[in-house]
Amino acid sequence: MAYSQPPSYIPDEPDHAARPYDAPEPAHPQLPQPSTYRRARPRRSILDELLPIPRHDAGRPGTSVDALARATRRSAALGVVLVFLAAVVFLAATQRTHAHGSTGLSGIWTGHAEVMDVGGPSSPDGTQAESESLASEEAGEGIAAQDFDKYKYLHVVGASHTDIETEGKRVILIGDVHGSYQPLLRLMDAVRYDATNDTLIHVGDLVAKGDMTPQVLAYMREGNVLGVRGNHDQPVVQWRSWMEWGGGADWRDWVDGLPRDETAARSVLKKQGKLYPQKWKWQGEHWKIARNLLDGDYDYLVGLPLTLHLPSLHSIVVHAGLLPFDPSAPPSDARQPLVVASEQAAGKAPSGRTGEELSILAIPPNRDAWNLVNMRGLYEAGRHKGEVTKAGSKGTPWSNVWNREMMRCAGDGSWWADGMGELGTEKEDHEDAAIEGEEDAEVDETRSGKDHDLQCSPVTVIYGHAAGRGLDIKQFSKGIDTGCVYGRQLTALVLGDTTGLAGEPVRVDAHEGMLVSVECTKGGG
């Protein structure tokens, strides 16, 4: 089973070869039949009632009909049981685990309808996660099973919105804003943003840390700006969803009437059956943003997907990161998406670059919402091998893994960075430890294969989330979170006409662009 264009994940059929009720019937002992007593009828079990064993009493009138009826009843009941068991197996096989890893190569997509929330700029989709992700926990004592996450996994952006060939048309992607409204305005001036001709896309984390979250959200909502949800946006969505669920139409009065002390609040909420998950921070920054969020801004955040696919640019936008293969199997396994794409390119029902890109999004680790908004690295060895981590100091940076694998692709879009001014940006200073932990100075450079040994086509990922690494620009990954809220910079990646702009050259697939940054003060000023 290979990862190809969705829906390529077909669940393994449950094995019904060994049926529990197919054992031969036991021989019936010959019982004495004296005429002076009535033989006691053996007590029948529930199993006998549901699946009666046909008796073959040859020679008695009507017994052939009776046996046929019993056999039919038994077969029908067995069929019902097997259908039920098959449904259980199917659901178990397709259940997505949340162990911050993958479900293995048996994981599947559940189809186009769930994943492909296709729409134009008027219905922006995007999702991102924060370093202290508050994913809704399973229902426990006093906690109802509700969907507070409101995830949308994928939004496909049409070619008309990513047109950079027509004169005057551009695509502008901006890094983590974090409530830094004034730097956002300065950056838009620096890139000469034209809302009529430019498509603006953010990589998530619009909210928190900075002082002007409401203004940033209003700017994005009123401009129908595309983007993805970040790990700081996510807990705001969760808290607001919980508030509206708990309090109904008058949720603000209900929330304001709860005790400020968390212990007292949880006691009250438990009696009401409205407890929130234990790991959520009561009256914290995300709680306060959620409480004061305008309805339209909440709707905007809910509408953001976890990933944006830009087919015409052969790129994917995500807040934290993606993996190029399922780590539950070797990168060169025949079922991995790049290997499948290579075989297809050789003439076996080619799906094209778009099909390859979607198949990468379909692998289990890239369908785990926690990964998409939190991941910074992948363990490639040791007891945690194959697991992702949000710690910048652990494992191999996922962008290194991504570029290493994409370098294997010799198909359309393969290229080298020579002369393009690509930035080697594993720059660190002592302030990084306070942001996301000290980064590893060395990474595992073990390659899974030789450069250009596959006929696949490389895919570019544009992301944020890694302020500690600063500009992290590699051939097939562009990290543009430059830590504005920490007093560093806010950065935009501009594709299309860059005439008159000042910045560093960059390349996305076959398209040249420019990285433009503005200075920030701590707190996002």
Side-chain angles (χ1 to χ4, degrees):
M1 178 175 60
Y3 292 131
S4 57
Q5 184 173 1
S8 62
Y9 294 86
I10 302 174
D12 295 330
E13 292 295 333
D15 183 5
H16 299 314
R19 300 186 178 185
Y21 305 118
D22 282 350
E25 300 176 19
H28 294 283
Q30 298 296 320
L31 298 177
Q33 300 184 17
S35 58
T36 57
Y37 72 93
R38 183 176 180 181
R39 182 173 60 183
R41 185 175 182 180
R43 182 167 181 162
R44 297 170 63 83
S45 67
I46 295 177
L47 183 61
D48 290 332
E49 290 293 337
L50 289 175
L51 303 175
I53 301 174
R55 294 182 299 177
H56 304 285
D57 299 327
R60 294 180 55 188
T63 55
S64 61
V65 176
D66 181 63
L68 178 60
R70 287 174 177 271
T72 302
R73 181 181 173 190
R74 178 183 178 87
S75 299
L78 181 59
V80 171
V81 171
L82 291 177
V83 169
F84 173 76
L85 292 176
V88 171
V89 171
F90 176 79
L91 290 174
T94 58
Q95 179 65 37
R96 184 171 51 85
T97 62
H98 190 276
H100 309 333
S102 73
T103 56
L105 287 171
S106 62
I108 68 168
W109 257 18
T110 52
H112 288 281
E114 175 194 356
V115 180
M116 303 192 67
D117 298 308
V118 181
S122 61
S123 58
D125 293 341
T127 322
Q128 305 150 352
E130 64 169 312
S131 59
E132 42 189 332
S133 178
L134 302 179
S136 297
E137 299 173 352
E138 293 184 6
E141 183 180 1
I143 302 178
Q146 297 289 326
D147 176 21
F148 300 132
D149 296 325
K150 309 295 183 184
Y151 288 133
K152 291 180 174 63
Y153 278 86
L154 173 64
H155 175 79
V156 179
V157 182
S160 62
H161 302 296
T162 53
D163 176 16
I164 58 177
E165 302 299 332
T166 301
E167 183 177 359
K169 296 287 186 179
R170 300 185 301 173
V171 172
I172 303 173
L173 301 107
I174 56 176
D176 300 30
V177 179
H178 280 300
S180 305
Y181 182 59
Q182 293 301 328
L184 173 63
L185 296 182
R186 294 198 297 271
L187 182 61
M188 293 300 95
D189 287 342
V191 299
R192 303 176 185 178
Y193 173 54
D194 176 2
T196 301
N197 294 305
D198 297 335
T199 295
L200 186 61
I201 301 172
H202 63 78
V203 298
D205 272 5
L206 299 176
V207 309
K209 299 189 178 184
D211 297 329
M212 302 186 74
T213 285
Q215 291 87 342
V216 169
L217 288 174
Y219 185 93
M220 299 298 174
R221 170 176 51 82
E222 292 170 3
N224 288 325
V225 177
L226 292 168
V228 292
R229 198 183 302 178
N231 60 311
H232 283 275
D233 307 321
Q234 182 58 26
V236 172
V237 169
Q238 291 169 322
W239 270 121
R240 179 58 170 267
S241 300
W242 173 83
M243 291 174 181
E244 293 192 359
W245 164 75
D250 299 322
W251 67 268
R252 287 185 174 85
D253 292 337
W254 176 75
V255 169
D256 293 344
L258 293 171
R260 293 182 61 84
D261 176 74
E262 182 169 14
T263 301
R266 290 189 67 85
S267 178
V268 171
L269 292 168
K270 185 174 181 179
K271 294 177 182 178
Q272 297 179 1
K274 299 295 177 65
L275 271 177
Y276 55 88
Q278 184 71 45
K279 292 182 181 179
W280 293 16
K281 188 175 181 181
W282 178 250
Q283 298 266 340
E285 182 180 21
H286 300 110
W287 184 98
K288 293 175 181 177
I289 294 173
R291 164 59 184 83
N292 298 312
L293 198 64
L294 296 177
D295 291 346
D297 293 341
Y298 168 65
D299 292 339
Y300 177 80
L301 288 178
V302 168
L304 294 176
L306 292 165
T307 58
L308 280 176
H309 182 207
L310 316 179
S312 66
L313 302 179
H314 302 294
S315 300
I316 299 167
V317 181
V318 66
H319 179 63
L322 294 169
L323 291 180
F325 57 81
D326 187 332
S328 68
S332 295
D333 188 284
R335 297 167 293 176
Q336 299 288 10
L338 295 184
V339 178
V340 171
S342 181
E343 293 177 352
Q344 291 178 336
K348 298 179 180 179
S351 61
R353 294 188 70 178
T354 298
E356 177 188 334
E357 291 151 15
L358 290 175
S359 70
I360 292 173
L361 285 172
I363 63 175
N366 293 340
R367 291 282 294 152
D368 187 318
W370 190 93
N371 292 351
L372 301 180
V373 297
N374 287 284
M375 175 173 60
R376 287 193 175 100
L378 173 71
Y379 290 104
E380 295 194 285
R383 64 189 181 93
H384 295 295
K385 182 178 180 180
E387 297 179 11
V388 304
T389 175
K390 68 178 182 181
S393 60
K394 298 179 180 179
T396 302
W398 73 265
S399 60
N400 289 48
V401 177
W402 183 272
N403 281 272
R404 184 183 71 207
E405 293 303 309
M406 292 300 157
M407 281 293 189
R408 302 179 66 190
C409 296
D412 293 342
S414 61
W415 60 282
W416 294 91
D418 296 344
M420 286 301 302
E422 294 292 332
L423 306 178
T425 58
E426 294 185 26
K427 301 174 183 177
E428 301 181 90
D429 59 39
H430 65 280
E431 295 181 7
D432 292 344
I435 297 175
E436 64 181 39
E438 183 179 355
E439 297 274 304
D440 285 334
E442 297 181 358
V443 296
D444 182 1
E445 296 293 343
T446 303
R447 294 177 179 269
S448 57
K450 299 178 180 179
D451 286 346
H452 295 175
D453 68 330
L454 296 174
Q455 294 305 309
C456 50
S457 294
V459 185
T460 299
V461 178
I462 303 169
Y463 66 101
H465 188 57
R469 296 179 68 82
L471 275 175
D472 192 8
I473 306 299
K474 299 182 176 70
Q475 284 91 329
F476 304 112
S477 64
K478 318 295 176 183
I480 57 174
D481 178 9
T482 45
C484 177
V485 76
Y486 302 108
R488 296 183 178 180
Q489 296 178 321
L490 185 63
T491 297
L493 192 165
V494 183
L495 295 173
D497 186 2
T498 59
T499 302
L501 301 185
E504 297 284 349
V506 69
R507 180 171 174 174
V508 175
D509 196 62
H511 310 288
E512 297 184 20
M514 184 166 290
L515 293 163
V516 180
S517 300
V518 296
E519 298 297 323
C520 306
T521 59
K522 194 167 184 178

